[in-house]
Amino acid sequence: MRKARLLNWTAGAGPRIGWAARVREAGAPLAVRPYRLHFTARVLSWTGSAVSPIALAFAVLHIGGGAGALGLVLAASVAPQILLLLVGGVVADRLPRARVMVWSNVACALAEGLAAMLLWSGTARVWHLVLMSGICGAAAAFFTPAAGGIVKEVVPAEARHAANALLKIAQNLVKVGGPAIGGVLVAAVGSAWAIGWDALTFATSALLFARIDLKPGAVKVRAGFLADLWDGWSDFRSRRWLWVMVVQGALVVPVWLVGYQLLGPVYGERFLGGAGLWGLVVSGFTAGLVAGAAVALMWRPRLVGRVVCAGTGSLALPLAAMAAAVPLPVLVAATAVAGTGLAVSMTVWSGLVQERIPADRLSRALSYSTLGQLVPVPVGYLLAGPLSRAVGVRATLAGGALVIVLAAVVPLLIRQVRALALAGQPAHEPVPAEKAGVSARAPR
């Protein structure tokens, strides 16, 4: 039925027949009701999540906490994800993913709703917000693998690339105005109302996820939890292309976050003249994210491995630009290019993983992938301060740019990564094992 609707939607929209047909084809996933519900729920949830960091920061300050207390609240959201991501991946492969997403959102709605009421009543304490943050972090450990796998279930294969791109466009558009709206909302009505809004978006999203109707039995249930966990690890490590790119991410993600999020504002203060001009740089990156998602919606590259590595390598541009102390317009342009490259690479990578990994293993693969990139981040934050004090901010940024370039280039030395392609790849490139009828445990 979903495929029939898709064919009706795209009837007459053949390849290379003009931009109108391309746009029509790009919007095809929205004709599929389960995807439309998923898309609407994610967008609604993102509008809440865009304002909550600012609301949470000012809530901590309002009740008398300082930078240390805020750090504790933020750490409480990350630690449960590191501890529970693998558990979340197994659960999302064993149970209907929509149900996992429903209860994850319910948990966050209850936690944030209670925190909002405590703030309204004036009885909130820092430990209340730490507990709230921890509950939401734990819920995210289950939600993230489930959400990453559900697109494969609700959208036909031929529309999956557009479905991923539409989600990325919506997410990046929310990022453009969300923080500004959050600041205005906190200033106008207070942190409690902003956190309450986030709780409401979680609750409404849960209702929408609950309406996603998937075929029962689409996901297999294994004999035991530990067996599922080990099976997921064995499958993950057997896919060479996957773990190589996860190692790439484990190097690039902490370096990028340290260079852009941590040292970037320091650079802006010391070399640009303050937060206002650094805000232009941030705007350039956000604009690039939106542009990149739009490019990915209209362009379906075949050699995904090369595109992902190129997009990853583009993240070196802003760090190198800051290290070289280039003029502000050049820095803004470099950051916009990086945002574009990141959005394109993330979109096409999502499609490749969804295509190559069977549905009953997908959430576990995503949990291992996310964990591999998340664990090094705290280490990067801890090392950034001493390193920048020892060699200087610009030298640290230059080193970070070099690490990103090497991490982007080295995987391309592996033929399997260079040849990574979506369905319809040329005959000389390797066909995904599961499409060729090979066992999922065959070396990749």
Side-chain angles (χ1 to χ4, degrees):
M1 179 64 71
R2 290 173 198 153
K3 190 168 184 178
R5 289 175 186 163
L6 184 71
L7 291 174
N8 290 336
W9 178 275
T10 57
R16 298 185 178 87
I17 59 172
W19 282 102
R22 288 175 181 267
V23 171
R24 183 176 177 83
E25 186 175 357
L30 294 172
V32 181
R33 182 177 182 273
Y35 176 79
R36 195 163 59 246
L37 289 169
H38 176 73
F39 179 86
T40 305
R42 296 300 300 275
V43 172
L44 182 61
S45 182
W46 285 326
T47 62
S49 299
V51 305
S52 62
I54 295 175
L56 191 58
F58 280 93
V60 172
L61 297 175
H62 178 72
I63 61 179
L70 179 58
L72 185 61
V73 171
L74 296 177
S77 69
V78 177
Q81 294 187 57
I82 294 176
L83 294 174
L84 295 174
L85 258 172
L86 299 184
V87 178
V90 172
V91 170
D93 275 343
R94 290 172 66 95
L95 300 177
R97 293 187 174 103
R99 188 186 304 171
V100 175
M101 295 163 68
V102 167
W103 288 109
S104 298
N105 274 261
V106 167
C108 287
L110 292 175
E112 295 209 356
L114 179 58
M117 287 190 289
L118 291 172
L119 289 167
W120 279 322
S121 66
T123 59
R125 299 292 181 267
V126 170
W127 73 267
H128 293 145
L129 301 181
V130 170
L131 180 60
M132 178 210 76
S133 187
I135 292 173
C136 290
F142 291 86
F143 180 89
T144 301
I150 202 169
V151 171
K152 181 167 184 172
E153 295 186 69
V154 301
V155 180
E158 58 269 26
R160 208 169 288 147
H161 178 81
N164 290 320
L166 286 170
L167 284 168
K168 190 59 64 178
I169 287 176
Q171 183 182 25
N172 292 335
L173 284 173
V174 171
K175 286 180 179 180
V176 173
I181 294 173
V184 172
L185 186 61
V186 171
V189 297
S191 298
W193 285 99
I195 292 175
W197 163 252
D198 196 21
L200 180 62
T201 63
F202 275 123
T204 307
S205 295
L207 293 175
L208 292 172
F209 287 134
R211 298 180 63 190
I212 296 177
D213 183 23
L214 297 177
K215 294 180 180 179
V219 179
K220 297 179 181 178
V221 178
R222 301 293 179 177
F225 176 83
L226 292 179
D228 276 3
L229 193 63
W230 179 253
D231 185 55
W233 167 250
S234 299
D235 187 65
F236 173 82
R237 70 178 183 178
S238 73
R239 301 174 188 275
R240 189 184 184 195
W241 61 270
L242 180 58
W243 64 256
V244 166
M245 300 304 279
V246 170
V247 170
Q248 179 191 76
L251 292 172
V252 171
V253 170
V255 171
W256 167 251
L257 292 178
V258 165
Y260 178 70
Q261 289 190 344
L262 196 154
L263 296 181
V266 176
Y267 178 89
E269 183 68 27
R270 293 184 184 178
F271 300 98
L272 296 181
L277 294 180
W278 177 249
L280 293 177
V281 179
V282 174
S283 298
F285 182 69
T286 308
L289 288 174
V290 176
V295 168
L297 180 64
M298 306 303 294
W299 176 50
R300 193 171 185 265
R302 182 164 292 176
L303 295 176
V304 173
R306 303 180 189 186
V307 173
V308 171
C309 288
T312 298
S314 70
L315 294 177
L317 293 175
L319 306 191
M322 287 187 281
V326 301
L328 180 63
V330 178
L331 176 57
V332 172
T335 312
V337 170
T340 302
L342 179 63
V344 171
S345 64
M346 289 177 67
T347 302
V348 299
W349 175 253
S350 295
L352 179 74
V353 171
Q354 291 163 3
E355 179 180 282
R356 293 269 181 125
I357 301 179
D360 63 335
R361 299 167 184 263
L362 182 54
S363 290
R364 279 170 289 173
L366 292 172
S367 67
Y368 278 108
S369 175
T370 304
L371 182 65
Q373 298 175 68
L374 186 62
V375 167
V377 171
V379 178
Y381 282 141
L382 291 174
L383 294 178
L387 183 61
S388 62
R389 286 193 295 270
V391 302
V393 171
R394 289 172 57 189
T396 303
L397 290 167
L402 180 60
V403 170
I404 291 176
V405 169
L406 291 175
V409 171
V410 169
L412 292 175
L413 301 177
I414 302 172
R415 182 180 180 276
Q416 194 178 54
V417 173
R418 293 197 307 273
L420 280 174
L422 292 167
Q425 65 269 43
H428 66 274
E429 294 170 359
V431 177
E434 55 266 31
K435 288 186 177 294
V438 181
S439 167
R441 289 187 175 275
R444 293 166 176 79

